Amino acid sequence: MARITLRQLLDHAAERGYGVPAFNINNMEQALAILEAAAAVDAPVILQASRGARSYAGDLMLARIFDALEAMYPAIPLCIHQDHGNDETTCLSAIQHGFTSVMMDGSLLADAKTPATYDYNLDITARVTRMAHAVGVSVEGELGVLGSLETGEGEKEDGHGFEGKLDHSQLLTDPDQAVDFVTRTEVDALAIAMGTSHGAYKFTRQPDGEILAMSVVEEIHRRLPDIHLVMHGSSSVPQELQDQFNQAGGQMPQTWGVPLAEIERGIKHGVRKVNIDTDCRLAMAAEIRRVAKVSPAEFDPRKFLKPAMESLRDLCRDRFERFGTAGNASKITVLPLAEMARRYRPRIAA
Ligand code: G3H
Ligand code: 13P
Ligand code: ZN
């Protein structure tokens, strides 16, 4: 039994001072590459599926992939997480399909575009937390809206994120509000806004404290030392991957992501879950483009996907090592959902 809740995994990470990358997946190839990397370095894994991933692959297919991974890698604790759940239905149907953790992102309304009020966020997150905890499943909430401190805009690349412009008071999580939110919702993990956004185009220059406000992470951790913090939009968009992509015919304008050193700094200040999707996409897409360029006669999808999986595997292995996740899988004894539910019960009854 290797399916672990986010709560148990992040409690372990906090005790030992490491962070866990949460990789987005949409298909078998990504799942296999990530698990291969994890097994090579003895790392526990968080795989997360967005609503887009669930509609791309289908819930049944994703559920079968997770079952297969569990059977193939029984020694790797595997957390299955709903990324950016937009309402109760998304979160509860994820639980029905074997997810051990859900994100209720109440920073936006259910349309995933309109910034929500604080009261809306508090109410929906508390309700989802109560329901999820009743069956032992963990919950990540979000306070503050992800978006660029340079432009005031949300990401447009993947069709979710707010439209228009916001000011810094909405783009930076307020530490006082964070204390109130965590106390009243009882979430297991909190995603905070500090200037990161989804996709490749996060920063127009190497980020400094003006546009990547790591001081917000430090302040919230000082006030809430026991909550597990989550950094979204945390791809590094490495220069070498941008170069590989462009040398193979891609057209990615120069961009900057979140430097690994800043993530490491976050991990020292309570960041336990680090969301990474763009880097994984870029690693695979650069290889697919390279094969298409050097072998224009090739038409066997496996010839494209195998090197793409190897590139993703190497990227994931590096993140497991850099964040200190490596070496911890074998140190965790996974608790079943029923035991997690039992531990939440006194709080639910109160
Ligand atoms: O939340 C952002 C992730 O990169 C997922 O993106 O909605 O295109 O699957 P997606
Ligand atoms: P990136 O786009 O930086 O990889 O962020 C992914 C993410 O936050 C998913 O929730
Ligand atoms: Zn995100």
Side-chain angles (χ1 to χ4, degrees):
M1 218 290 289
R3 206 169 294 200
I4 191 169
T5 62
L6 187 70
R7 180 55 184 265
Q8 194 200 346
L9 176 51
L10 299 192
D11 280 352
H12 190 264
E15 271 162 36
R16 302 183 63 93
Y18 65 91
V20 188
F23 297 118
N24 287 74
I25 70 144
N26 299 265
N27 58 33
M28 175 191 82
E29 283 78 10
Q30 292 171 310
L32 287 176
I34 295 162
L35 265 291
E36 203 184 312
V41 297
D42 187 38
V45 172
I46 302 171
L47 293 183
Q48 54 187 10
S50 65
R51 285 193 297 141
R54 288 176 62 187
S55 76
Y56 172 79
D59 281 337
L60 199 54
M61 182 58 73
L62 285 179
R64 294 293 181 269
I65 289 174
F66 299 141
D67 288 346
L69 295 175
E70 215 176 346
M72 290 167 75
Y73 294 99
I76 300 293
L78 178 59
C79 172
I80 309 292
H81 178 78
Q82 168 73 54
D83 191 23
H84 293 283
N86 63 323
D87 61 14
E88 297 94 328
T89 309
T90 299
C91 293
L92 294 185
S93 60
I95 294 171
Q96 266 182 323
H97 286 95
F99 288 53
T100 53
S101 177
V102 295
M103 176 184 192
M104 178 58 238
D105 181 356
S107 71
L108 300 173
L109 297 183
D111 66 4
K113 283 186 168 47
T114 312
T117 63
Y118 181 63
D119 285 346
Y120 171 91
N121 192 358
L122 200 59
D123 178 59
I124 195 163
T125 307
R127 269 188 291 121
V128 168
T129 304
R130 224 174 153 76
M131 289 189 279
H133 283 181
V135 290
V137 166
S138 320
V139 178
E140 172 186 337
E142 173 163 326
L143 186 62
V145 182
L146 293 187
S148 162
L149 296 172
E150 285 184 271
T151 63
E153 290 172 2
E155 82 280 4
K156 300 186 192 77
E157 252 176 282
D158 57 16
H160 99 190
F162 69 93
E163 287 169 347
K165 284 196 183 244
L166 293 180
D167 62 36
H168 283 199
S169 67
Q170 286 164 292
L171 295 171
L172 293 172
T173 304
D174 175 52
D176 287 333
Q177 215 170 45
V179 173
D180 186 63
F181 186 80
V182 168
T183 312
R184 290 167 69 187
T185 58
E186 303 197 348
V187 288
D188 302 284
L190 181 69
I192 57 177
M194 81 307 271
T196 64
S197 50
H198 295 133
Y201 306 104
K202 301 179 194 306
F203 304 111
T204 62
R205 58 180 167 88
Q206 179 74 14
D208 56 20
E210 287 293 303
I211 56 178
L212 176 59
M214 295 305 293
S215 56
V216 170
V217 176
E218 293 173 1
E219 180 58 15
I220 294 174
H221 180 56
R222 204 179 59 74
R223 305 266 194 104
L224 287 166
D226 296 331
I227 191 74
H228 304 310
L229 299 179
V230 183
M231 277 176 69
H232 281 247
S234 288
S235 278
S236 301
V237 202
Q239 189 63 50
E240 65 269 23
L241 280 185
Q242 293 183 49
D243 293 344
Q244 282 167 29
F245 182 79
N246 286 336
Q247 279 154 17
Q251 293 184 357
M252 176 171 280
Q254 179 63 48
T255 182
W256 281 265
V258 182
L260 288 172
E262 297 297 334
I263 296 173
E264 288 165 343
R265 176 176 163 194
I267 292 170
K268 290 199 180 83
H269 293 93
V271 171
R272 299 292 158 228
K273 175 170 178 278
V274 182
N275 282 18
I276 298 177
D277 187 0
T278 296
D279 283 352
C280 301
R281 295 177 178 192
L282 194 52
M284 293 190 90
E287 274 305 285
I288 290 168
R289 282 196 173 278
R290 186 187 61 75
V291 175
K293 189 175 176 197
V294 300
S295 310
E298 186 57 67
F299 59 89
D300 179 347
R302 294 170 299 186
K303 296 289 190 332
F304 296 85
L305 290 169
K306 200 159 184 301
M309 289 166 72
E310 286 164 4
S311 176
L312 176 57
R313 179 199 61 204
D314 294 347
L315 175 100
C316 297
R317 182 178 174 144
D318 176 76
R319 299 305 184 263
F320 286 132
E321 286 170 341
R322 293 286 297 252
F323 301 166
T325 335
N328 281 295
S330 52
K331 299 196 171 80
I332 300 172
T333 306
V334 174
L335 297 171
L337 281 182
E339 171 57 21
M340 295 305 292
R342 196 189 61 73
R343 293 179 183 203
Y344 287 126
R345 210 158 290 147
R347 280 195 276 147
I348 293 173

